[in-house]
Amino acid sequence: QVQLVESGGGLVQPGGSLRLSCAASGPIFSIYTMSWYRQAPGKQREWVTSIPSGGSGWPTYADSVEGRFTMSRVDDENTVYLTMNSLIPDDTAVYYCHSWLKDRQGAMSEYWGQGTQVTVSS
């Protein structure tokens, strides 16, 4: 069973930083992209950032987080990180890890993590 497991959320004051991690595990053949989405209370889920795997490109970011958030990956560990700096209250949301990957049976599917809460408040 392929799983994405996030960690690292919590409560932080405005201007502070947090680092989220997402580890993909299970019968994975190859990972194509990994992304972060977020969903604030009463709002639709929105895309935050994506990164292709295998050294094929650089991460892209939503305008709302460009320059403050950095996504990185460790391909050998099937893990990505989201470093969030200069956090503002509007960043408060449940953050979800997402991936398009192929399992060892050759099936290409998308997967979601369970989500981790980030709260920015004084």
Side-chain angles (χ1 to χ4, degrees):
Q1 181 92 6
V2 174
Q3 286 186 311
L4 302 181
V5 178
E6 305 107 330
S7 61
L11 173 64
V12 63
Q13 292 187 340
S17 299
L18 277 177
R19 190 176 81 155
L20 307 182
S21 64
C22 173
S25 64
I28 297 169
F29 177 75
S30 61
I31 295 176
Y32 292 92
T33 62
M34 293 191 78
S35 305
W36 288 96
Y37 288 74
R38 66 186 182 185
Q39 187 166 19
K43 295 186 177 180
Q44 289 189 331
R45 191 172 297 189
E46 65 174 359
W47 171 77
V48 176
T49 177
S50 293
I51 190 169
S53 291
S56 61
W58 298 98
T60 54
Y61 300 94
D63 289 345
S64 59
V65 306
E66 180 82 51
R68 299 187 298 120
F69 289 12
T70 302
M71 187 173 183
S72 58
R73 64 175 184 256
V74 180
D75 286 334
D76 289 349
E77 298 176 357
N78 288 339
T79 299
V80 293
Y81 300 92
L82 181 63
T83 302
M84 305 183 292
N85 297 320
S86 302
L87 285 160
I88 60 176
D90 281 351
D91 294 320
T92 296
V94 177
Y95 284 71
Y96 296 91
C97 182
H98 173 273
S99 180
W100 279 101
L101 61 85
K102 184 177 289 187
D103 64 25
R104 290 179 186 167
Q105 294 181 325
M108 179 77 162
S109 303
E110 64 174 333
Y111 293 86
W112 291 91
Q114 81 284 357
T116 185
Q117 177 70 47
V118 172
T119 302
V120 184
S121 175
S122 55

